[in-house]
Amino acid sequence: MSDYNDDHEFGVCRRHALECMLWAGTGVLWTVSGGIPRSSLIESAQAAEGSSFTFLQISDSHVGFDKAANPNALGTLQEAIAKIKALPNKPAFMLHTGDITHLSKPKEFDDAAQVIGSSGLETHYVPGEHDNLDEVPLKSYLERYGRNTKGTGWYSFNQNGVHFIGLNNVMNLEAGGMGKLGPEQLAWLADDVKGLSASTPIVVFAHIPLWTISKEWGWGTEDSEKALSMLKRFGSVTVLNGHIHQLMQKVEGSVNFHTARSTAFPQPAPGSAPAPTPLVVPAEKLRSVLGIRTVVYTQGKELLAVTDQPLATV
């Protein structure tokens, strides 16, 4: 999964204008109140009120990556964290949806921990396939982030009445293949949610999308329907993922899916290139396709479309 070809040209998506416009920025603030997420641009974020709260999502930092698509992935992660530290109102916590490192090397994990830790925010992680390149699968990741998790790193926690579920869908991943949750994790998920009221807001976060964006590129999870069937009875479900390094969204009933940008490099739109490899863009445009997401959960509000702000504008 770590063999990439960096020889792609920067192009404009002609099929989906909305998706291309979403590439224009990152940094979405999510506020959560009463189970309904509401998003806003990071600079327009206001303090959460009442039972509302705010959290952040970053993804695909690829610390250690130094090829043409971004010779300094650690540097752009530092820029993302600097944006977070500059927020006028401190979020409750941060989610990292995988590919913290590029090659699962100890120094890459250490460098990422130092930079992310400087945010001063509690951070909840799930692994990406690039965090699972050890000789002993996921050894380095679990040594750092496996405490209080089950199996290969799945877990849940509660915040202000919202139930958060972190999943691992990158084990036994074949090159170009779809993600997998597996029977053990699915059994745990069924047990985790069985005692919850249907009115409980749910936020699921994992690395690979839980809806099929491109089967040919492995952009989906083959047993995601089994997981999602357990969540259909809930009135508000938000699913946050990384992996594809670009913004897309989908709504199915009460389930809202959102993918996130990388802090390291973009990838091509599905079907616009031979493979989902790092996309080389002009250096002055790179930071316009990288960024972070901020989530505002607000009681009684409808889920708004995700909007993002770039690390820098062109």
Side-chain angles (χ1 to χ4, degrees):
M1 300 300 294
S2 61
D3 294 329
Y4 287 116
N5 180 346
D6 291 313
D7 297 328
H8 289 282
E9 298 292 331
F10 178 71
V12 177
C13 169
R14 293 179 174 83
R15 294 182 304 151
H16 300 296
L18 177 59
E19 291 172 11
C20 291
M21 286 189 288
L22 286 173
W23 272 49
T26 40
V28 179
L29 181 67
W30 289 95
T31 300
V32 182
S33 177
I36 305 299
R38 177 171 56 84
S39 62
S40 59
L41 291 176
I42 235 171
E43 267 113 0
S44 64
Q46 299 178 356
E49 298 179 357
S51 59
S52 301
F53 70 97
T54 298
F55 67 92
L56 289 149
Q57 179 193 5
I58 61 173
S59 197
D60 296 272
S61 300
H62 286 272
V63 171
F65 182 86
D66 60 1
K67 302 297 189 296
N70 183 354
N72 185 12
L74 181 63
T76 49
L77 174 62
Q78 290 170 328
E79 291 177 37
I81 297 302
K83 254 192 180 319
I84 290 167
K85 291 166 71 174
L87 285 171
N89 303 297
K90 185 176 179 180
F93 58 85
M94 183 158 59
L95 305 179
H96 194 301
T97 46
D99 282 353
I100 307 159
T101 69
H102 193 59
L103 296 173
S104 303
K105 294 180 178 180
K107 186 178 187 304
E108 294 174 351
F109 276 112
D110 290 345
D111 287 346
Q114 182 176 4
V115 173
I116 295 170
S118 72
S119 70
L121 298 176
E122 179 181 11
T123 304
H124 303 276
Y125 295 86
V126 288
E129 76 277 12
H130 283 264
D131 304 317
N132 188 25
L133 299 176
D134 318 57
E135 286 188 23
V136 178
L138 218 61
K139 181 176 185 293
S140 294
Y141 172 88
L142 290 174
E143 285 176 350
R144 290 164 173 80
Y145 308 115
R147 183 181 301 177
N148 299 322
T149 68
K150 306 291 184 182
T152 56
W154 56 80
Y155 61 101
S156 64
F157 66 94
N158 297 298
Q159 176 82 34
N160 290 50
V162 180
H163 190 66
F164 287 80
I165 303 170
L167 299 176
N168 177 354
N169 54 3
V170 301
M171 300 303 293
N172 304 311
L173 196 64
E174 299 175 3
M178 299 272 279
K180 301 175 185 176
L181 295 167
E184 183 182 359
Q185 187 169 194
L186 288 168
W188 169 84
L189 177 60
D191 184 66
D192 181 66
V193 302
K194 70 180 182 182
L196 298 177
S197 165
S199 63
T200 304
I202 304 290
V203 174
V204 178
F205 58 106
H207 182 61
I208 299 174
L210 294 181
W211 53 290
T212 301
I213 296 170
S214 173
K215 187 174 183 180
E216 293 74 19
W217 284 4
W219 285 4
T221 301
E222 64 181 35
D223 51 1
S224 61
E225 282 301 317
K226 294 179 180 178
L228 295 171
S229 68
M230 304 174 194
L231 305 176
K232 287 182 179 178
R233 68 183 180 89
F234 294 97
S236 172
V237 180
T238 303
V239 182
L240 304 177
N241 301 106
H243 189 57
I244 72 170
H245 296 216
Q246 59 197 276
L247 293 178
M248 291 187 183
Q249 62 187 60
K250 178 183 179 181
V251 179
E252 283 187 6
S254 62
V255 182
N256 292 270
F257 301 85
H258 299 273
T259 65
R261 283 196 178 91
S262 167
T263 67
F265 53 83
Q267 292 194 120
S272 66
T277 56
L279 184 67
V280 177
V281 303
E284 67 274 13
K285 293 185 177 181
L286 176 61
R287 284 158 182 80
S288 72
V289 290
L290 306 179
I292 61 177
R293 167 173 291 153
T294 318
V295 185
V296 180
Y297 231 64
T298 305
Q299 186 173 10
K301 300 291 184 181
E302 295 298 325
L303 178 65
L304 303 182
V306 173
T307 54
D308 279 29
Q309 175 198 333
L311 293 186
T313 54
V314 177

